[in-house]
Coordinates of all heavy atoms in Angstrom, one line a residue:
M121 N 267.0 74.2 150.9 CA 268.0 73.6 149.9 C 267.3 72.4 149.2 O 266.4 71.8 149.7 CB 269.2 73.1 150.7 CG 270.1 74.1 151.2 SD 271.6 73.4 152.0 CE 272.5 72.8 150.6
K122 N 267.8 72.2 148.0 CA 267.2 71.2 147.2 C 268.0 69.9 147.2 O 269.2 69.9 147.1 CB 267.2 71.7 145.7 CG 266.3 71.0 144.8 CD 266.2 71.7 143.4 CE 265.4 71.0 142.4 NZ 265.4 71.7 141.1
C123 N 267.4 68.8 147.5 CA 268.0 67.5 147.4 C 268.5 67.2 146.0 O 267.7 67.3 145.1 CB 267.1 66.4 148.0 SG 267.7 64.7 147.7
H124 N 269.7 66.7 145.8 CA 270.2 66.5 144.5 C 269.7 65.2 143.9 O 269.9 65.0 142.7 CB 271.7 66.6 144.4 CG 272.4 65.3 144.9 ND1 273.0 64.4 144.1 CD2 272.6 64.8 146.1 CE1 273.5 63.4 144.8 NE2 273.2 63.6 146.0
I125 N 269.0 64.4 144.7 CA 268.4 63.2 144.1 C 266.9 63.3 143.9 O 266.5 63.1 142.7 CB 268.7 62.0 145.1 CG1 270.2 61.8 145.2 CG2 268.0 60.7 144.6 CD1 270.6 60.7 146.2
C126 N 266.1 63.6 144.9 CA 264.7 63.7 144.7 C 264.2 65.0 144.2 O 263.1 65.2 143.7 CB 263.9 63.2 145.9 SG 264.1 64.3 147.4
G127 N 265.1 66.1 144.4 CA 264.7 67.4 144.0 C 263.8 68.2 144.9 O 263.4 69.3 144.6
D128 N 263.4 67.6 146.0 CA 262.5 68.3 147.0 C 263.3 69.3 147.8 O 264.5 69.2 147.9 CB 261.8 67.3 147.9 CG 260.8 66.4 147.2 OD1 260.4 66.8 146.1 OD2 260.3 65.4 147.8
Q129 N 262.6 70.3 148.3 CA 263.2 71.3 149.1 C 263.2 70.9 150.6 O 262.2 70.4 151.1 CB 262.4 72.6 149.0 CG 262.5 73.3 147.6 CD 263.9 73.9 147.4 OE1 264.7 74.1 148.3 NE2 264.2 74.1 146.1
Y130 N 264.4 71.1 151.2 CA 264.5 70.8 152.7 C 265.3 71.9 153.4 O 266.0 72.7 152.7 CB 265.3 69.5 152.8 CG 264.6 68.3 152.4 CD1 264.7 67.8 151.1 CD2 263.7 67.6 153.2 CE1 264.0 66.7 150.6 CE2 263.0 66.5 152.8 CZ 263.2 66.0 151.5 OH 262.5 64.9 151.0
D131 N 265.1 72.0 154.7 CA 265.9 72.9 155.5 C 267.4 72.4 155.4 O 267.6 71.2 155.2 CB 265.5 72.9 157.0 CG 264.1 73.5 157.2 OD1 263.7 74.3 156.3 OD2 263.5 73.2 158.2
Q132 N 268.3 73.3 155.5 CA 269.7 72.9 155.4 C 270.1 71.8 156.4 O 270.9 71.0 156.1 CB 270.6 74.2 155.7 CG 272.1 73.9 155.4 CD 272.9 75.1 155.0 OE1 272.3 76.2 155.1 NE2 274.1 74.9 154.7
A133 N 269.5 71.8 157.6 CA 269.8 70.8 158.6 C 269.4 69.4 158.1 O 270.0 68.4 158.6 CB 269.1 71.1 159.9
D134 N 268.5 69.3 157.2 CA 268.1 68.0 156.7 C 268.8 67.6 155.4 O 268.4 66.6 154.8 CB 266.6 68.0 156.5 CG 265.8 68.1 157.8 OD1 266.3 67.5 158.8 OD2 264.8 68.7 157.8
I135 N 269.8 68.3 155.0 CA 270.6 68.0 153.8 C 272.0 67.5 154.2 O 272.6 68.2 155.0 CB 270.7 69.2 152.8 CG1 269.3 69.6 152.3 CG2 271.7 68.9 151.7 CD1 268.8 68.7 151.2
T136 N 272.4 66.3 153.7 CA 273.7 65.8 154.1 C 274.8 66.5 153.3 O 274.5 67.2 152.3 CB 273.8 64.3 153.7 OG1 273.7 64.2 152.3 CG2 272.6 63.5 154.4
P137 N 276.0 66.4 153.8 CA 277.2 67.0 153.0 C 277.2 66.6 151.6 O 277.7 67.4 150.7 CB 278.4 66.5 153.8 CG 277.9 66.2 155.2 CD 276.5 65.7 155.0
S138 N 276.7 65.4 151.2 CA 276.8 65.0 149.8 C 275.6 65.7 149.0 O 275.6 65.5 147.8 CB 276.7 63.5 149.7 OG 275.4 63.1 150.0
G139 N 274.7 66.4 149.7 CA 273.7 67.1 148.9 C 272.4 66.4 148.8 O 271.5 66.8 148.1
S140 N 272.2 65.3 149.5 CA 271.0 64.6 149.5 C 270.2 64.8 150.8 O 270.8 65.1 151.8 CB 271.2 63.1 149.2 OG 272.2 62.6 150.0
C141 N 268.9 64.6 150.7 CA 268.1 64.7 151.9 C 268.3 63.5 152.8 O 268.8 62.5 152.3 CB 266.6 64.9 151.6 SG 265.8 63.5 150.8
R142 N 267.8 63.6 154.0 CA 268.0 62.4 154.9 C 267.4 61.1 154.4 O 268.0 60.1 154.5 CB 267.4 62.7 156.3 CG 268.1 63.7 157.1 CD 267.5 63.7 158.5 NE 267.8 64.9 159.2 CZ 267.3 65.2 160.4 NH1 266.6 64.3 161.0 NH2 267.6 66.3 161.0
W143 N 266.2 61.3 153.7 CA 265.5 60.1 153.2 C 266.4 59.5 152.1 O 266.7 58.3 152.1 CB 264.2 60.5 152.7 CG 263.6 59.5 151.8 CD1 263.5 59.5 150.4 CD2 263.1 58.2 152.2 NE1 262.9 58.3 150.0 CE2 262.6 57.5 151.1 CE3 262.9 57.6 153.5 CZ2 262.1 56.2 151.1 CZ3 262.4 56.3 153.5 CH2 261.9 55.7 152.4
C144 N 266.8 60.3 151.1 CA 267.6 59.8 150.0 C 268.9 59.2 150.5 O 269.4 58.2 150.0 CB 267.8 60.9 149.0 SG 266.3 61.3 148.1
A145 N 269.5 59.9 151.5 CA 270.8 59.4 152.0 C 270.7 58.0 152.6 O 271.5 57.2 152.5 CB 271.3 60.4 153.1
R146 N 269.5 57.8 153.3 CA 269.3 56.5 153.9 C 269.1 55.4 152.8 O 269.6 54.3 152.9 CB 268.1 56.5 154.8 CG 268.0 55.2 155.6 CD 267.0 55.4 156.8 NE 267.0 54.1 157.6 CZ 265.9 53.6 158.0 NH1 264.7 54.1 157.8 NH2 266.0 52.4 158.7
V147 N 268.4 55.8 151.7 CA 268.2 54.9 150.6 C 269.6 54.6 150.0 O 269.8 53.4 149.7 CB 267.3 55.6 149.6 CG1 267.3 54.7 148.3 CG2 265.8 55.7 150.1
E148 N 270.4 55.6 149.9 CA 271.8 55.3 149.3 C 272.6 54.4 150.2 O 273.3 53.5 149.7 CB 272.5 56.7 149.2 CG 272.0 57.6 148.1 CD 272.8 58.9 148.1 OE1 272.9 59.6 149.1 OE2 273.3 59.2 147.0
R149 N 272.4 54.5 151.5 CA 273.1 53.6 152.4 C 272.6 52.2 152.3 O 273.3 51.2 152.3 CB 273.0 54.0 153.9 CG 273.8 55.3 154.2 CD 274.0 55.5 155.7 NE 272.7 55.8 156.4 CZ 272.2 57.0 156.4 NH1 272.8 58.1 155.8 NH2 271.0 57.2 157.0
F150 N 271.2 52.0 152.2 CA 270.6 50.7 151.9 C 271.2 50.1 150.6 O 271.5 48.9 150.6 CB 269.1 50.8 151.9 CG 268.4 50.6 153.2 CD1 268.7 51.5 154.3 CD2 267.5 49.6 153.4 CE1 268.1 51.3 155.5 CE2 266.9 49.4 154.6 CZ 267.2 50.3 155.7
S151 N 271.2 50.9 149.6 CA 271.6 50.5 148.3 C 273.1 50.0 148.3 O 273.5 48.9 147.8 CB 271.5 51.6 147.2 OG 271.9 51.2 146.0
A152 N 273.9 50.8 149.0 CA 275.4 50.5 149.1 C 275.6 49.2 149.9 O 276.4 48.4 149.5 CB 276.1 51.7 149.7
F153 N 274.8 49.1 151.0 CA 275.0 47.8 151.8 C 274.5 46.6 151.0 O 275.2 45.6 151.0 CB 274.2 48.0 153.1 CG 274.3 46.8 153.9 CD1 275.5 46.5 154.6 CD2 273.3 45.8 154.1 CE1 275.7 45.4 155.4 CE2 273.4 44.7 154.9 CZ 274.6 44.5 155.5
A154 N 273.4 46.8 150.3 CA 272.9 45.6 149.4 C 274.0 45.2 148.4 O 274.3 44.1 148.3 CB 271.6 46.0 148.7
A155 N 274.6 46.2 147.8 CA 275.6 45.9 146.8 C 276.8 45.2 147.4 O 277.4 44.3 146.8 CB 276.0 47.2 146.1
S156 N 277.2 45.7 148.6 CA 278.3 45.1 149.3 C 278.0 43.6 149.7 O 279.0 42.9 149.9 CB 278.7 45.9 150.5 OG 277.8 45.6 151.6
C157 N 276.8 43.3 149.8 CA 276.4 41.9 150.1 C 276.1 41.1 148.8 O 275.7 39.9 148.9 CB 275.1 41.9 150.9 SG 275.2 42.6 152.5
G158 N 276.4 41.7 147.7 CA 276.1 41.0 146.4 C 274.7 40.9 146.0 O 274.3 40.1 145.1
L159 N 273.8 41.7 146.6 CA 272.4 41.8 146.3 C 272.2 42.8 145.2 O 272.9 43.8 145.1 CB 271.6 42.1 147.5 CG 271.6 41.1 148.7 CD1 271.0 41.7 149.9 CD2 270.9 39.8 148.3
T160 N 271.1 42.6 144.4 CA 270.8 43.6 143.4 C 269.5 44.4 143.8 O 269.1 45.3 143.1 CB 270.5 42.9 142.0 OG1 269.5 41.9 142.2 CG2 271.8 42.2 141.6
R161 N 268.9 44.0 144.9 CA 267.7 44.7 145.4 C 267.8 44.9 146.9 O 268.5 44.2 147.6 CB 266.4 43.8 145.1 CG 266.2 43.7 143.6 CD 265.1 42.6 143.3 NE 265.7 41.3 143.6 CZ 265.0 40.1 143.4 NH1 263.8 40.2 142.9 NH2 265.6 39.0 143.6
F162 N 267.0 45.8 147.4 CA 267.0 46.1 148.8 C 265.6 46.5 149.2 O 264.8 47.1 148.4 CB 268.0 47.1 149.2 CG 267.8 48.5 148.6 CD1 267.1 49.4 149.2 CD2 268.4 48.8 147.4 CE1 266.9 50.7 148.7 CE2 268.2 50.0 146.8 CZ 267.5 51.0 147.5
P163 N 265.2 46.3 150.5 CA 263.9 46.7 150.9 C 263.7 48.2 151.2 O 264.7 48.8 151.5 CB 263.7 45.9 152.2 CG 265.1 45.6 152.7 CD 266.0 45.5 151.5
D164 N 262.6 48.6 151.0 CA 262.3 50.1 151.3 C 262.7 50.4 152.8 O 262.3 49.7 153.7 CB 260.7 50.3 151.2 CG 260.3 51.7 151.3 OD1 260.9 52.4 152.1 OD2 259.5 52.1 150.5
P165 N 263.5 51.4 153.0 CA 264.0 51.7 154.3 C 262.9 52.0 155.3 O 263.0 51.8 156.5 CB 264.8 53.0 154.1 CG 265.3 52.8 152.7 CD 264.2 52.2 151.9
S166 N 261.7 52.4 154.8 CA 260.6 52.7 155.7 C 259.9 51.4 156.2 O 259.0 51.5 157.1 CB 259.6 53.6 155.1 OG 258.9 52.9 154.0
G167 N 260.3 50.3 155.6 CA 259.6 49.0 156.0 C 258.4 48.8 155.2 O 257.6 47.8 155.5
E168 N 258.1 49.6 154.2 CA 256.9 49.4 153.4 C 257.1 48.2 152.5 O 258.1 47.6 152.5 CB 256.7 50.7 152.5 CG 256.2 51.9 153.3 CD 254.8 51.7 153.9 OE1 254.0 50.9 153.4 OE2 254.5 52.2 155.0
R169 N 256.1 47.9 151.7 CA 256.1 46.6 151.0 C 256.9 46.5 149.7 O 256.8 45.5 149.1 CB 254.6 46.3 150.7 CG 254.0 47.2 149.6 CD 252.5 46.9 149.5 NE 251.8 47.3 150.7 CZ 250.6 47.8 150.7 NH1 249.9 48.0 149.6 NH2 250.0 48.1 151.8
Y170 N 257.7 47.5 149.4 CA 258.4 47.5 148.1 C 259.9 47.1 148.3 O 260.5 47.3 149.3 CB 258.3 48.9 147.5 CG 256.9 49.2 147.0 CD1 256.1 50.0 147.8 CD2 256.3 48.6 145.9 CE1 254.8 50.3 147.5 CE2 255.0 48.8 145.5 CZ 254.2 49.7 146.3 OH 253.0 49.9 145.9
L171 N 260.4 46.6 147.2 CA 261.8 46.4 147.0 C 262.3 47.3 145.9 O 261.6 47.6 145.0 CB 262.1 44.9 146.6 CG 261.8 43.8 147.6 CD1 262.1 42.5 146.9 CD2 262.6 44.0 148.9
Y172 N 263.5 47.8 146.1 CA 264.1 48.7 145.1 C 265.3 48.1 144.5 O 266.0 47.3 145.1 CB 264.5 50.0 145.7 CG 263.4 50.9 146.2 CD1 262.9 50.8 147.5 CD2 262.7 51.7 145.3 CE1 261.8 51.5 148.0 CE2 261.6 52.5 145.7 CZ 261.2 52.3 147.1 OH 260.1 53.1 147.5
R173 N 265.6 48.4 143.2 CA 266.9 48.0 142.6 C 268.0 49.0 143.1 O 267.7 50.1 143.6 CB 266.7 48.1 141.1 CG 265.7 47.1 140.6 CD 265.7 47.0 139.1 NE 264.5 46.3 138.6 CZ 264.3 45.0 138.8 NH1 265.3 44.2 139.4 NH2 263.2 44.4 138.4
L174 N 269.2 48.6 142.8 CA 270.4 49.4 143.3 C 270.3 50.9 142.7 O 270.8 51.8 143.3 CB 271.7 48.8 142.9 CG 271.9 47.4 143.6 CD1 273.3 46.9 143.2 CD2 271.8 47.5 145.1
N175 N 269.7 51.0 141.5 CA 269.7 52.3 140.9 C 268.5 53.1 141.4 O 268.2 54.3 140.9 CB 269.6 52.2 139.4 CG 268.3 51.6 138.9 OD1 267.4 51.2 139.6 ND2 268.3 51.4 137.6
G176 N 267.7 52.6 142.3 CA 266.6 53.3 142.9 C 265.2 53.0 142.3 O 264.2 53.5 142.8
D177 N 265.2 52.3 141.2 CA 263.9 51.9 140.6 C 263.2 50.9 141.5 O 263.8 50.1 142.1 CB 264.2 51.2 139.2 CG 264.6 52.2 138.1 OD1 264.5 53.4 138.4 OD2 265.1 51.7 137.1
I178 N 261.9 51.0 141.4 CA 261.1 50.0 142.2 C 261.2 48.6 141.5 O 261.0 48.5 140.3 CB 259.6 50.4 142.3 CG1 259.5 51.6 143.3 CG2 258.7 49.3 142.7 CD1 258.1 52.1 143.5
A179 N 261.6 47.6 142.3 CA 261.7 46.2 141.7 C 260.3 45.5 141.8 O 260.1 44.5 141.1 CB 262.7 45.5 142.5
G180 N 259.4 46.0 142.7 CA 258.1 45.4 142.9 C 257.8 45.2 144.3 O 258.6 45.6 145.2
K181 N 256.6 44.7 144.6 CA 256.2 44.5 146.0 C 257.0 43.2 146.5 O 257.4 42.4 145.7 CB 254.7 44.2 146.1 CG 253.9 45.4 145.8 CD 252.4 45.0 145.8 CE 251.6 46.2 145.4 NZ 250.1 45.8 145.2
K182 N 257.3 43.2 147.8 CA 258.0 42.0 148.3 C 257.3 40.8 147.9 O 257.9 39.8 147.6 CB 258.0 42.2 149.9 CG 259.0 43.2 150.3 CD 258.9 43.4 151.9 CE 259.8 44.6 152.3 NZ 259.5 45.0 153.7
S183 N 255.9 40.8 147.9 CA 255.2 39.6 147.6 C 255.3 39.2 146.2 O 255.0 38.0 145.8 CB 253.7 39.8 148.0 OG 253.2 40.9 147.2
E184 N 255.8 40.1 145.3 CA 256.0 39.7 143.9 C 257.5 39.3 143.7 O 257.8 38.9 142.5 CB 255.7 40.9 143.0 CG 254.3 41.4 143.1 CD 254.1 42.8 142.5 OE1 255.1 43.5 142.3 OE2 253.0 43.2 142.2
C185 N 258.3 39.4 144.7 CA 259.7 39.1 144.5 C 260.2 38.0 145.5 O 261.1 38.2 146.3 CB 260.6 40.3 144.8 SG 260.2 41.7 143.7
L186 N 259.5 36.9 145.4 CA 259.8 35.8 146.4 C 261.2 35.3 146.2 O 261.8 34.8 147.1 CB 258.8 34.7 146.2 CG 257.3 35.0 146.6 CD1 256.4 33.9 146.4 CD2 257.3 35.5 148.0
D187 N 261.8 35.4 145.0 CA 263.2 35.0 144.8 C 264.2 35.8 145.6 O 265.3 35.4 145.8 CB 263.5 35.0 143.3 CG 263.4 36.4 142.7 OD1 262.6 37.2 143.1 OD2 264.2 36.6 141.8
F188 N 263.7 37.0 146.1 CA 264.6 37.8 146.9 C 264.9 37.0 148.2 O 266.0 37.2 148.8 CB 263.9 39.1 147.3 CG 264.8 40.1 148.0 CD1 266.0 40.6 147.5 CD2 264.4 40.5 149.3 CE1 266.8 41.5 148.2 CE2 265.2 41.4 150.0 CZ 266.4 41.9 149.5
M189 N 264.1 36.1 148.7 CA 264.4 35.3 149.8 C 265.6 34.4 149.6 O 266.4 34.3 150.5 CB 263.2 34.5 150.2 CG 262.5 35.0 151.5 SD 261.3 33.9 152.2 CE 259.9 34.3 151.2
D190 N 265.6 33.9 148.4 CA 266.8 33.0 148.1 C 268.1 33.9 148.0 O 269.1 33.5 148.4 CB 266.6 32.3 146.7 CG 265.5 31.2 146.8 OD1 265.0 31.0 148.0 OD2 265.2 30.6 145.8
D191 N 267.9 35.1 147.4 CA 269.1 36.0 147.3 C 269.6 36.3 148.7 O 270.8 36.4 149.0 CB 268.7 37.3 146.6 CG 268.4 37.1 145.1 OD1 268.7 36.0 144.6 OD2 267.9 38.1 144.5
L192 N 268.6 36.6 149.6 CA 269.0 36.9 151.0 C 269.7 35.7 151.7 O 270.7 35.9 152.4 CB 267.8 37.3 151.8 CG 267.2 38.6 151.5 CD1 265.9 38.8 152.3 CD2 268.2 39.8 151.8
W193 N 269.2 34.5 151.4 CA 269.8 33.3 152.0 C 271.2 33.2 151.5 O 272.2 32.9 152.3 CB 269.0 32.1 151.6 CG 269.7 30.8 152.0 CD1 270.5 30.0 151.2 CD2 269.7 30.2 153.3 NE1 271.0 28.9 151.8 CE2 270.5 29.0 153.1 CE3 269.1 30.5 154.5 CZ2 270.8 28.2 154.2 CZ3 269.4 29.6 155.6 CH2 270.2 28.5 155.4
N194 N 271.4 33.3 150.2 CA 272.8 33.2 149.6 C 273.7 34.3 150.2 O 274.9 34.0 150.4 CB 272.7 33.3 148.1 CG 272.1 32.0 147.5 OD1 272.1 31.0 148.1 ND2 271.7 32.1 146.2
A195 N 273.2 35.5 150.4 CA 274.0 36.6 150.9 C 274.4 36.2 152.4 O 275.5 36.5 152.8 CB 273.2 37.9 150.9
L196 N 273.5 35.6 153.1 CA 273.8 35.2 154.5 C 274.9 34.1 154.5 O 275.8 34.1 155.3 CB 272.5 34.7 155.1 CG 272.4 34.5 156.6 CD1 272.8 35.7 157.3 CD2 271.0 34.0 157.0
V197 N 274.7 33.2 153.5 CA 275.7 32.1 153.4 C 277.1 32.7 153.1 O 278.1 32.3 153.7 CB 275.3 31.1 152.3 CG1 276.5 30.1 152.0 CG2 274.1 30.3 152.7
R198 N 277.2 33.7 152.1 CA 278.4 34.3 151.8 C 279.0 35.1 153.0 O 280.2 35.0 153.3 CB 278.2 35.3 150.6 CG 278.1 34.6 149.3 CD 278.2 35.6 148.1 NE 277.2 36.6 148.2 CZ 276.0 36.5 147.6 NH1 275.7 35.4 146.9 NH2 275.1 37.5 147.7
A199 N 278.1 35.8 153.7 CA 278.5 36.6 154.9 C 279.1 35.8 156.0 O 280.0 36.2 156.7 CB 277.3 37.4 155.4
K200 N 278.6 34.5 156.1 CA 279.2 33.6 157.1 C 280.4 32.8 156.6 O 280.8 31.9 157.3 CB 278.1 32.7 157.6 CG 276.9 33.4 158.3 CD 277.3 34.1 159.6 CE 277.2 33.1 160.7 NZ 277.5 33.8 162.0
G201 N 280.8 33.1 155.4 CA 282.0 32.4 154.8 C 281.7 31.0 154.5 O 282.7 30.2 154.4
A202 N 280.5 30.6 154.2 CA 280.1 29.2 154.0 C 279.8 28.9 152.5 O 279.2 27.9 152.2 CB 278.9 28.8 154.9
A203 N 280.2 29.9 151.6 CA 279.8 29.7 150.2 C 280.5 28.6 149.5 O 280.1 28.2 148.4 CB 280.0 31.1 149.5
G204 N 281.6 28.1 150.1 CA 282.3 27.0 149.5 C 281.5 25.6 149.6 O 281.9 24.7 148.9
G205 N 280.6 25.5 150.5 CA 279.9 24.3 150.7 C 278.7 24.2 149.7 O 278.7 24.8 148.7
D206 N 277.7 23.4 150.1 CA 276.6 23.2 149.3 C 275.3 24.0 149.8 O 274.2 23.6 149.5 CB 276.2 21.7 149.1 CG 275.9 21.1 150.5 OD1 276.0 21.8 151.5 OD2 275.5 19.9 150.5
L207 N 275.6 25.0 150.5 CA 274.5 25.8 151.1 C 273.9 26.9 150.2 O 272.8 27.4 150.4 CB 275.0 26.5 152.4 CG 275.3 25.6 153.6 CD1 276.0 26.3 154.7 CD2 274.0 24.9 154.1
V208 N 274.7 27.2 149.1 CA 274.2 28.2 148.1 C 273.1 27.7 147.3 O 273.1 26.5 146.8 CB 275.3 28.7 147.3 CG1 274.8 29.7 146.2 CG2 276.4 29.4 148.1
L209 N 272.0 28.5 147.1 CA 270.8 28.1 146.3 C 271.1 28.5 144.9 O 271.8 29.5 144.6 CB 269.6 28.8 146.8 CG 269.1 28.4 148.2 CD1 268.0 29.4 148.7 CD2 268.5 27.0 148.2
G210 N 270.4 27.8 144.0 CA 270.4 28.2 142.6 C 271.5 27.8 141.7 O 272.6 27.6 141.9
Ligands
ZN297 ZN1 265.9 63.5 148.5

């Protein structure tokens, strides 16, 4: 079966009900979680050195996106309900 996102061929067991391969499905989960945290980028699910944008485009290497650390800090502050204080960066 063909993954509807990357277009590669997979055994039926490796295709999710939504029609994506396991890899793309995990990327989709990372993207959805990032969006739910108010982030616009997320790390490569494999742990490799890249960051991706919510639409799946490569945002760059982690080392080129140092501002992502501030985004993560702010997401953490929001997640802990502390965004009303002076802990938010930027
Ligand atoms: Zn795929």
Side-chain angles (χ1 to χ4, degrees):
M121 289 181 74
K122 195 173 175 179
C123 169
H124 79 105
I125 295 175
C126 66
D128 288 346
Q129 289 289 340
Y130 292 90
D131 291 338
Q132 186 155 5
D134 290 326
I135 295 283
T136 66
S138 70
S140 48
C141 70
R142 285 190 205 179
W143 166 255
C144 291
R146 190 166 183 222
V147 170
E148 288 178 306
R149 287 194 295 277
F150 269 61
S151 177
F153 181 72
S156 77
C157 294
L159 295 170
T160 58
R161 294 168 290 185
F162 62 91
D164 189 319
S166 71
E168 290 293 331
R169 67 187 67 145
Y170 293 100
L171 293 177
Y172 293 95
R173 298 190 191 287
L174 297 181
N175 66 3
D177 289 347
I178 287 182
K181 292 178 184 169
K182 288 172 183 167
S183 59
E184 297 166 343
C185 300
L186 293 180
D187 61 328
F188 185 61
M189 252 191 276
D190 290 356
D191 292 350
L192 288 175
W193 171 264
N194 286 341
L196 194 56
V197 171
R198 287 192 298 268
K200 297 293 275 183
D206 62 355
L207 292 170
V208 175
L209 293 167

